[in-house]
Amino acid sequence: MNTAPSSTDVRRHILDVAHPLFLSRGFTAVGLTEVLAAAKVPKGSFYHYFSSKEAFGEAVLEAYFDGYLERMNGLLSQPGTARQRLMAYFLDWLESQTGDEAQSRCLVVKLGAEVSDLSDAMRNALERGTRAITARLAGCIEEGLADNSLPKSLDAAGTAMTLYQNWLGASLLAKITRDRTPLDTAMNCTRQMLGNT
């Protein structure tokens, strides 16, 4: 007996199909017709799940951050010192931005500048997501101050923001230059900031 997919499954499927399209071409260049054709979902169904393309874009970003934060939580909860866990996270970032898997590229880098001027809702989704990332980094840095794996001179919140900005900028420069050197530089700076132990 075949059962119809639940509304949650259909909604998630549309979001999953849109993610690589937005990653490759951006938000404004991808039309709803293209997304719905790729998802094999009728247009009327789309408006059952999303009130507009802007609301859809916000939902894509929220789904992206949900997945990203889940992966980040896994990396930052591995065994080892806080410094080791932070370095594992940034190594994962380096590999995801330089590997062949386009799906793992940073959606913040791709859409950040484009949509922040187009949509307050999407800009707010980006802000919420990036704030959650830096909060997790700050929490892990605080653990490193407690377990003595990080230099005592570090300010957790400030260091988290500096590291995130450094990596986000390096990812953008690597995309512009099509060269991984900015990411390698970010890794070297991260090692120095977190203490070369």
Side-chain angles (χ1 to χ4, degrees), residues 6 12 19 36 55 102 107 111 113-114 146 148-149 164 167 170 172 176:
S6 72
R12 182 67 206 202
H19 181 191
L36 297 174
L107 200 59
L111 298 185
E114 177 189 1
N148 294 315
S149 64
Y164 185 70
W167 279 89
L172 180 58
I176 291 168

Side-chain angles (χ1 to χ4, degrees), residues 55-164:
F56 176 54
E58 181 183 8
V60 169
L61 287 168
E62 288 171 345
Y64 167 74
F65 281 115
D66 287 347
Y68 186 96
L69 292 167
E70 184 178 330
R71 179 168 179 74
M72 185 180 190
N73 289 340
L75 289 165
L76 294 182
S77 63
Q78 293 177 353
T81 66
R83 185 188 188 284
Q84 289 168 334
R85 288 180 274 132
L86 284 165
M87 292 308 300
Y89 166 74
F90 287 114
L91 181 61
D92 183 74
W93 188 326
L94 175 70
E95 290 172 352
S96 71
Q97 299 310 298
T98 56
D100 293 332
E101 289 259 341
Q103 182 74 9
S104 65
R105 296 285 193 266
C106 182
L107 200 59
V108 177
V109 169
K110 182 66 178 183
L111 298 185
E114 177 189 1
V115 303
S116 290
D117 292 333
L118 294 177
S119 162
D120 276 341
M122 292 176 72
R123 184 187 58 74
N124 288 332
L126 284 161
E127 186 178 8
R128 286 190 305 273
T130 56
R131 194 172 30 229
I133 292 168
T134 56
R136 280 166 174 76
L137 289 174
C140 194
I141 292 167
E142 286 172 0
E143 291 173 24
L145 296 173
D147 73 12
N148 294 315
S149 64
L150 294 175
K152 291 292 185 187
S153 59
L154 293 181
D155 167 69
T159 302
M161 185 59 74
T162 299
L163 286 168
Y164 185 70

